[in-house]
Amino acid sequence: MATPAQAQLAAALAAADPAAAAVARANIEKEELAARLAMEERSTIKILVDRAIDSRCPAKIARGLVERPRWTVAQLRDSADADVSVDVSVSEDGYLRGTAEEHETISMPFRTFLAQLTDDWRRLPSALRYHLAQTSLEQLPTLRADIKVPPALRGRGVRHVNLWLAIGAHTSGLHYDCFDNLLVVVRG
């Protein structure tokens, strides 16, 4: 399949338009350069991921590893997953202490949780802070379909894909997880 620049060149050659053909050739060169740079970036990311995982050391990869979903509040509310029941941690101060005994957890439909947000991701006035923690996206298959395992992690045995979503400012204490984690900030 021809790229847009290749189609532009074919049209320019068919019309015997040398100026348009020159522009199309320049665009083809730009496309090829962009493809080479993208390949080099993916290769560099793969090396960084391998080093971080193999050494079991934290690493921050600022861009390029994961294509972040572009969810909106309205899309989430209208998704097929909106009626799924999710467990939500509730606190008055926004500090999650890490144990179920130290904060209340309630079940509610995902849509009800999302009703605490305005369409521009702001928290509606409330004395309580709501936090969706470690919700398996297997429970929310419509959202799970938006998450792609990055090529750099394929073959690494990704076991869980979870969603954390806080409404309003939240803090959790420093802790250790049994599994290696890849955290992606979608918004915030």
Side-chain angles (χ1 to χ4, degrees), residues 28-58:
I28 289 171
E29 287 178 19
K30 288 178 188 174
E31 285 177 348
E32 290 171 349
L33 177 60
R36 278 195 309 275
L37 290 174
M39 187 181 308
E40 288 174 11
E41 183 175 269
R42 284 191 301 273
S43 176
T44 301
I45 289 169
K46 174 81 170 117
I47 291 167
L48 289 172
V49 167
D50 287 346
R51 284 183 188 160
I53 291 172
D54 293 342
S55 67
R56 298 188 58 95
C57 291

Side-chain angles (χ1 to χ4, degrees), residues 90-94 116 123-130 167 170:
V90 181
S91 69
E92 292 179 355
D93 60 2
Q116 310 305 312
R123 181 173 74 94
L124 292 173
S126 172
L128 299 175
R129 302 292 178 107
Y130 297 89
I167 297 178
H170 276 76

